[in-house]
Amino acid sequence: MARPREFDMDTAVDGAMQIFWRLGYAATNLPELLHAMGVSRGSFYKAFGDKHSAYLAALDHYDRTCIGSAVKLLCDRSIGDGAARILRLFEQTGCGESVAPRGCFVCNAMVELGPHDPAVAKKTAAMSNRLQAAIYDALGDVPGLNPYDTESRHRKAAIITRLYLGAQAMSKTGDRNADWKNLLGELLNRRIA
Amino acid sequence: MARPREFDMDTAVDGAMQIFWRLGYAATNLPELLHAMGVSRGSFYKAFGDKHSAYLAALDHYDRTCIGSAVKLLCDRSIGDGAARILRLFEQTGCGESVAPRGCFVCNAMVELGPHDPAVAKKTAAMSNRLQAAIYDALGDVPGLNPYDTESRHRKAAIITRLYLGAQAMSKTGDRNADWKNLLGELLNRRIA
DNA sequence: ATAATTAGGAACCAATTGGTACAAAACAAA
DNA sequence: TTTGTTTTGTACCAATTGGTTCCTAATTAT
């Protein structure tokens, strides 16, 4: 009963995520954002309301896609034990050898907007908690590590989550730490995989 | 033989550091920056050149002051052994109970500008390296930890540095992890202090 | 067909952006 | 006091900012 939208909603949100991820919120201006989303000005304001709402939608999209696959990876027993899965997470996204380091959108968002934007703070905190919970679960499946010492598991999960975010931050200056096998081995006090 | 400047250079740079630290580079506009520095427009452009140069000066100031005292703390044997000193670092700056979390300026800068600004990337990388080196040194003074296993020390220092930066990032969403004694104890595999 | 409803896109907007120009002012050396 | 040099503050600037208006286009229901 009305004109259908010509752009694909998911593609647009994904484009928004890409550019916000790469440039940050403040440094992304409207023309660039619209180009990345493949949407014209009118459609954008009709569909999203304003720049800030588009940013929140991009964060949700990141949660669904990137955080989602990270959690799935950490749960995938076909990869190996919990330590192998955590190692895989770091090797894949924890600042590998990619030429253009995007880092982690969650890290970017919490650092840039966390203290000034309650909505962003809430979403990013939820995402890092989700990641930490998945790491905690994976730690329950590490041979030689007592899965019933939940205190220790929680502490290790907290450490690894912060290690991950810190590595993401440092990757933005060109830091490449490919030695995750030994680093995580040091942390878990055992050889991995 | 000329008119002396009326503002204090160090105070101005410190003011610039404060506002950039709190708001970030892009989100700090010139009027706010000038107010924080206590300098008028004309004086600002004469003394600093432009906004970006002022940001670099603020980063250098952070290196001299905050990073400097962190390094000094890590070297201060009157505090206790290396583990106690590292613990102190986290308790003091690793997102304590302060109401308004500023996080770490190095973390902010590398995340916001690292990939797009070589000068910022270089300075922030240098500062995180400086911190990591001081942590490495402190690890040489932890009873029960073999100081001659330099490989392990380097790995532990790398982990702790990233743990630190990750905690700084998460502090911006309100995350308060006051349990550093147990977390670092878990990491170093021994009771601390 | 036509009415109703929504998307699209360009023109437009006030406000703000970082940065410049320049003249008045404040000092030191002569 | 005069001269030379630098600082200061204001007025000004073009460009850009995020956002709105409004007319046209495209579709469905009747």
Side-chain angles (χ1 to χ4, degrees):
Chain A
M1 103 181 172
R3 177 178 179 175
R5 55 166 54 114
E6 293 176 7
F7 69 91
D8 179 61
M9 195 61 176
D10 214 60
T11 306
V13 174
D14 191 78
M17 181 186 76
Q18 300 293 341
I19 192 97
F20 279 135
W21 189 351
R22 186 157 54 87
L23 301 183
Y25 180 75
T28 300
N29 59 25
L30 228 28
E32 277 176 310
L33 177 58
L34 298 176
H35 178 77
M37 297 177 75
V39 173
S40 79
R41 238 181 163 78
S43 308
F44 172 82
Y45 278 100
K46 190 144 304 186
F48 294 93
D50 61 2
K51 183 185 175 185
H52 185 256
S53 301
Y55 188 80
L56 295 182
L59 273 179
D60 287 337
H61 186 68
Y62 188 84
D63 195 3
R64 272 179 263 117
T65 58
C66 299
I67 299 294
S69 52
V71 168
K72 197 190 295 182
L73 185 156
L74 287 167
C75 296
D76 184 358
R77 294 177 157 263
S78 77
I79 291 173
D81 64 36
R85 271 129 58 190
I86 292 171
L87 173 60
R88 180 74 66 90
L89 173 70
F90 275 80
E91 286 178 340
Q92 283 190 359
T93 61
C95 46
E97 298 86 13
S98 72
V99 182
R102 295 185 296 180
C104 164
F105 191 23
V106 173
C107 181
N108 299 358
M110 57 176 40
V111 168
E112 183 184 5
L113 299 176
H116 314 290
D117 192 322
V120 171
K122 189 175 176 184
K123 282 185 192 298
T124 52
M127 285 191 265
S128 63
N129 283 337
R130 203 181 154 203
L131 199 66
Q132 182 165 330
I135 291 171
Y136 173 82
D137 288 344
L139 287 173
D141 182 28
V142 177
L145 202 148
N146 178 6
Y148 300 109
D149 187 353
T150 56
E151 295 290 330
S152 173
R153 273 174 71 192
H154 276 297
R155 285 194 291 268
K156 284 185 165 67
I159 291 170
I160 293 173
T161 304
R162 283 151 186 79
L163 173 66
Y164 179 81
L165 290 174
Q168 294 292 341
M170 288 187 64
S171 79
K172 299 206 139 202
T173 71
D175 179 73
R176 292 292 168 274
N177 199 325
D179 195 23
W180 291 114
K181 184 176 288 198
N182 283 321
L183 249 52
L184 289 171
E186 180 87 36
L187 179 53
L188 298 178
N189 223 19
R190 52 182 37 76
R191 296 194 62 80
I192 296 183
Chain B
M1 111 180 176
R3 177 177 178 175
R5 57 167 52 115
E6 292 177 8
F7 68 91
D8 179 61
M9 194 63 175
D10 214 60
T11 306
V13 175
D14 192 78
M17 181 187 78
Q18 300 292 341
I19 192 101
F20 280 135
W21 187 353
R22 186 156 56 88
L23 302 182
Y25 180 75
T28 300
N29 59 27
L30 227 29
E32 277 175 310
L33 177 58
L34 298 176
H35 178 76
M37 298 178 73
V39 173
S40 79
R41 235 182 166 78
S43 308
F44 172 81
Y45 278 100
K46 187 141 300 192
F48 294 93
D50 60 1
K51 184 185 174 184
H52 185 256
S53 301
Y55 188 80
L56 296 181
L59 273 179
D60 286 336
H61 186 68
Y62 188 84
D63 195 3
R64 271 180 265 117
T65 57
C66 298
I67 300 293
S69 52
V71 168
K72 196 190 296 181
L73 184 156
L74 287 167
C75 297
D76 184 357
R77 294 176 157 264
S78 77
I79 292 173
D81 64 36
R85 272 128 57 189
I86 292 171
L87 173 60
R88 180 73 66 91
L89 173 70
F90 275 80
E91 286 179 340
Q92 282 191 0
T93 61
C95 44
E97 299 86 13
S98 72
V99 182
R102 296 186 297 181
C104 165
F105 192 23
V106 173
C107 180
N108 299 359
M110 55 176 39
V111 167
E112 183 184 4
L113 299 176
H116 315 290
D117 192 321
V120 171
K122 189 176 176 183
K123 281 185 191 297
T124 53
M127 284 190 265
S128 62
N129 284 337
R130 201 180 156 206
L131 199 65
Q132 182 165 332
I135 291 170
Y136 173 82
D137 287 344
L139 287 172
D141 181 29
V142 177
L145 203 149
N146 179 4
Y148 299 110
D149 186 352
T150 57
E151 295 289 333
S152 172
R153 271 174 72 192
H154 276 297
R155 286 195 290 268
K156 283 185 166 65
I159 291 171
I160 293 173
T161 304
R162 284 152 186 79
L163 174 65
Y164 179 81
L165 290 174
Q168 294 291 342
M170 288 187 62
S171 80
K172 299 205 139 203
T173 71
D175 180 73
R176 292 291 168 274
N177 200 325
D179 195 23
W180 290 115
K181 183 175 288 198
N182 283 320
L183 249 53
L184 289 171
E186 180 86 37
L187 179 53
L188 297 179
N189 222 21
R190 56 181 35 76
R191 297 194 62 82
I192 296 182

